[in-house]
Amino acid sequence: MAEVVAVLDFGSQYTQVIARRLRECQVYSKVLPFSTSAEELKKEGVKGVILSGGPSSVFADNAPHPDKAIFDLGVPVLGICYGIQLLGYLLGGKAEHSEEREYGKGTLTITGESPLLNGVNKTIQVWNSHGDKLTELPEGFTPVATTENSDFAAIQDTKRQFFGLQFHPEVFHTEQGTDIIRNFVFDICKCEGDWTMESYIESSIASIRDTVGDKKVILGLSGGVDSSVAAKLIHDAIGTQLTCVFVDNGLLRKDEREAVKKLYGDHFQINLVVADSADLFLERLAGVTDPEQKRKIIGNTFIDVFEDEVEIIGTVDFLAQGTIYPDIIESVPIDGNPASLIKSHHNVGGLPERMKLKILEPLNQLFKDEVRLLGKSLGLPDSVVWRQPFPGPGLAVRVLGDITEDKLVVLREADAILLEEMKAADLYYKVWQSFAVFLPVRTVGVMGDERTYDNVIALRIVESVDAMTADWAKLDHDLLAKISNRIINEVKGVNRVVLDISSKPPSTIEWE
Ligand code: XMP
């Protein structure tokens, strides 16, 4: 069994980031509720415990406190942010509201020897977000670093192997934060770093089997990275107890439906139901031009179709979703208040409550790049694992204005040519997204001796790392010329191709 370091969750938005840093050190981390008993931790055989940050004040009524017996387990404990306050407060020191809240970047100065800070520069930039601070240390503790506003920015009791950090070593803004975490797991907890993706798969499969038992699971497969990886992982765990539903909403790209059927149904032999609901979606979308209205209709129709499918399938107990960690919370603060980055996720809202289904989200502790690695390890092809993002509402937000089947046909053909050329030029996987947009205008052209009055296709090709910001890709002019010529020559009804040269912000990636 892999070595485990437990991360007790006191509600910080960074808890999963701590877990991720541990995985990067190839140490298996388990995020557990703050109230997990020492007895349970002992059963897990934990080699160390990390107390996460959290929004509360340790001395407030109802503040979350851990089982105090964890301090008698004989394993190292690291308290981060709220966690350091807990160490101080529960072990006999004093924590108080601070006059100067420390928030954002600060400078840490190391003032003493510490195995936790080994190899770290004497002064580093750190990321703070706390209102309270320790004013008196418990017996046995000594301070080993300070910040502008805190004499106890890092503390330790090396005899008992207890350590506390007022700042967040796990976030990207803290310099050498990874070194600090490595020191904790390797030098202090004596972990060996034996965790691999294979062992993650093994434990995920065991946990899915344990949760599901002999019950049935349904999953809405979109063909995107997250739902595909979730489907393959769950299928590996419970085989035919899983049924995937692929909703053909009529807003898919060219050949998409066939590709999904071939890979998941034929190749992986997953129970796959294809819901043929293009007509219903297009009927409900007829004449609708407002983008948000389109999204709402598509979301609601999806739920209706999904419910009908579940009815046909029979008794289902679990709804599986490919929710990943950043769907729930954004990992790295960009600037300002990190809490403002908490976002609601795009997944099928409202469905589980209405259908009284239990939720199964086996990827909800993983970041996108980890999901890709997992997908690779599960044997999914690059065309799935490295697929460009495609919005849930599909081509509906790429046919500007009202949607008709005729427009969709034109857009699909143009889009397929763009994607084909991007792949041929070895650029498909290098850009963030590349797609065609159908504009709601017609322009005059001339083909042969004839005047045409036809549609315009815009090319949107962007580079980005996280879709929060993006820039238009500076593609070779010859390639752009080829794409444009092919679209105008091969797609009936298009006489003009334009290139979108806007960055995000102020534009967005999609046009609607
Ligand atoms: P924007 O257009 O906001 O897009 O710059 C950022 C990223 O999100 C995708 N996107 C969506 N994905 N449902 C989705 O599942 C949506 O309604 C939606 N709108 C935009 C977009 O393709 C890009 O990757």
Side-chain angles (χ1 to χ4, degrees):
M1 210 176 84
E3 312 156 322
V4 182
V5 169
V7 182
L8 295 188
D9 184 11
F10 291 90
S12 162
Q13 59 181 305
Y14 301 128
T15 305
Q16 289 299 338
V17 186
I18 302 173
R20 182 204 167 108
R21 295 286 170 255
L22 296 175
R23 291 196 290 268
E24 282 170 357
C25 297
Q26 298 201 296
V27 169
Y28 183 49
S29 58
K30 250 193 166 165
V31 175
L32 297 167
F34 71 86
S35 53
T36 306
S37 70
E39 201 52 43
E40 279 170 68
L41 294 179
K42 202 168 169 183
K43 256 194 253 154
E44 293 277 353
V46 297
K47 301 209 59 163
V49 177
I50 295 180
L51 311 176
S52 83
S56 316
S57 280
V58 281
F59 39 78
D61 289 344
N62 302 323
H65 286 179
D67 176 2
K68 267 187 91 169
I70 62 168
F71 299 117
D72 302 322
L73 281 172
V75 298
V77 177
L78 170 63
I80 293 174
C81 197
Y82 180 77
I84 191 179
Q85 319 285 342
L86 282 172
L87 280 179
Y89 186 74
L90 297 176
L91 298 175
K94 212 166 164 192
E96 285 177 26
H97 267 306
S98 166
E99 284 303 307
E100 287 119 312
R101 282 192 73 223
E102 273 197 297
Y103 185 75
K105 288 175 187 170
T107 305
L108 183 86
T109 305
I110 297 177
T111 52
E113 284 287 311
S114 169
L116 188 62
L117 302 172
N118 240 342
V120 176
N121 295 338
K122 198 163 161 19
T123 56
I124 54 167
Q125 195 183 75
V126 295
W127 183 262
N128 292 300
S129 73
H130 61 98
D132 298 345
K133 66 177 180 184
L134 288 180
T135 49
E136 237 172 74
L137 294 187
E139 223 181 289
F141 277 84
T142 50
V144 284
T146 59
T147 56
E148 293 90 336
N149 294 317
S150 173
D151 292 337
F152 304 136
I155 60 169
Q156 64 185 20
D157 174 345
T158 46
K159 200 155 150 229
R160 287 186 289 178
Q161 299 277 284
F162 294 161
F163 300 84
L165 298 172
Q166 181 71 84
F167 57 94
H168 290 276
E170 70 278 19
V171 311
F172 163 76
H173 289 301
T174 293
E175 287 170 350
Q176 297 188 279
T178 305
D179 293 343
I180 297 173
I181 287 172
R182 291 183 72 85
N183 286 341
F184 181 68
V185 293
F186 294 126
D187 297 343
I188 297 170
C189 299
K190 311 282 182 217
C191 290
E192 297 197 350
D194 59 358
W195 181 83
T196 59
M197 194 48 92
E198 272 60 41
S199 49
Y200 185 81
I201 292 173
E202 235 171 74
S203 63
S204 295
I205 286 181
S207 138
I208 293 167
R209 282 184 185 149
D210 192 44
T211 308
V212 173
D214 59 0
K215 302 281 193 287
K216 278 191 175 174
V217 180
I218 191 161
L219 179 141
L221 181 69
S222 71
V225 183
D226 304 340
S227 68
S228 300
V229 174
K232 182 70 172 73
L233 180 65
I234 297 170
H235 181 255
D236 285 3
I238 57 165
T240 53
Q241 284 166 260
L242 169 73
T243 302
C244 291
V245 175
F246 178 74
V247 175
D248 181 351
N249 56 11
L251 304 162
L252 305 172
R253 285 161 295 183
K254 194 177 176 188
D255 299 333
E256 201 165 356
R257 171 183 167 147
E258 288 317 307
V260 164
K261 269 168 82 174
K262 215 162 121 187
L263 182 68
Y264 302 93
D266 303 346
H267 182 68
F268 289 131
Q269 304 268 300
I270 295 177
N271 281 340
L272 177 70
V273 175
V274 177
D276 225 333
S277 15
D279 291 348
L280 179 65
F281 277 87
L282 295 188
E283 221 170 81
R284 291 193 185 173
L285 284 167
V288 177
T289 53
D290 176 61
E292 286 315 300
Q293 191 62 22
K294 286 182 182 176
R295 283 187 170 83
K296 225 175 260 160
I297 292 171
I298 292 166
N300 291 337
T301 310
F302 182 89
I303 292 178
D304 291 345
V305 169
F306 206 81
E307 276 181 335
D308 288 349
E309 289 304 330
V310 173
E311 196 107 315
I312 296 167
I313 292 163
T315 323
V316 172
D317 298 271
F318 289 89
L319 173 72
Q321 300 194 137
T323 314
I324 69 171
Y325 181 59
D327 288 337
I328 305 164
I329 213 157
E330 206 51 68
S331 59
V332 181
I334 295 172
D335 223 342
N337 183 357
S340 66
L341 291 167
I342 294 173
K343 58 182 185 184
S344 64
H345 61 81
H346 300 301
N347 279 324
V348 203
L351 200 59
E353 294 84 32
R354 258 171 68 171
M355 299 176 66
K356 301 199 172 55
L357 293 174
K358 288 182 226 138
I359 291 286
L360 187 66
E361 291 179 327
L363 311 181
N364 67 2
Q365 305 218 343
L366 300 182
F367 289 83
K368 193 81 181 187
D369 55 329
E370 295 179 307
V371 172
R372 291 208 164 97
L373 271 177
L374 174 59
K376 264 321 268 168
S377 303
L378 289 168
L380 287 170
D382 280 353
S383 57
V384 170
V385 170
W386 291 104
R387 205 176 113 111
Q388 290 180 3
F390 184 62
L395 299 185
V397 290
R398 293 179 182 172
V399 169
L400 306 195
D402 75 304
I403 303 161
T404 64
E405 181 56 30
D406 290 347
K407 293 178 187 176
L408 284 167
V409 169
V410 169
L411 177 59
R412 258 185 220 119
E413 293 302 323
D415 191 65
I417 291 173
L418 169 60
L419 292 184
E420 196 182 304
E421 291 299 334
M422 290 297 288
K423 283 178 185 158
D426 210 11
L427 288 170
Y428 174 84
Y429 294 113
K430 294 190 178 135
V431 301
W432 177 263
Q433 272 171 293
S434 47
F435 57 88
V437 182
F438 185 101
L439 303 192
V441 286
R442 290 211 280 167
T443 68
V444 173
V446 52
M447 270 191 193
D449 289 333
E450 284 195 28
R451 177 184 179 279
T452 57
Y453 188 51
D454 258 335
N455 300 298
V456 185
I457 288 290
L459 307 178
R460 183 64 164 150
I461 308 154
V462 294
E463 283 166 354
S464 174
V465 280
D466 54 9
M468 307 280 279
T469 62
D471 199 7
W472 59 283
K474 319 289 185 291
L475 296 193
D476 178 63
H477 287 182
D478 290 339
L479 174 64
L480 290 170
K482 188 170 179 202
I483 295 168
S484 157
N485 284 340
R486 277 198 61 195
I487 292 175
I488 292 172
N489 289 330
E490 295 173 34
V491 185
K492 204 162 169 286
V494 177
N495 68 358
R496 193 175 297 270
V497 171
V498 296
L499 179 66
D500 181 348
I501 52 168
S502 336
S503 57
K504 173 183 179 175
S507 302
T508 51
I509 294 176
E510 302 290 344
W511 277 46
E512 278 193 343

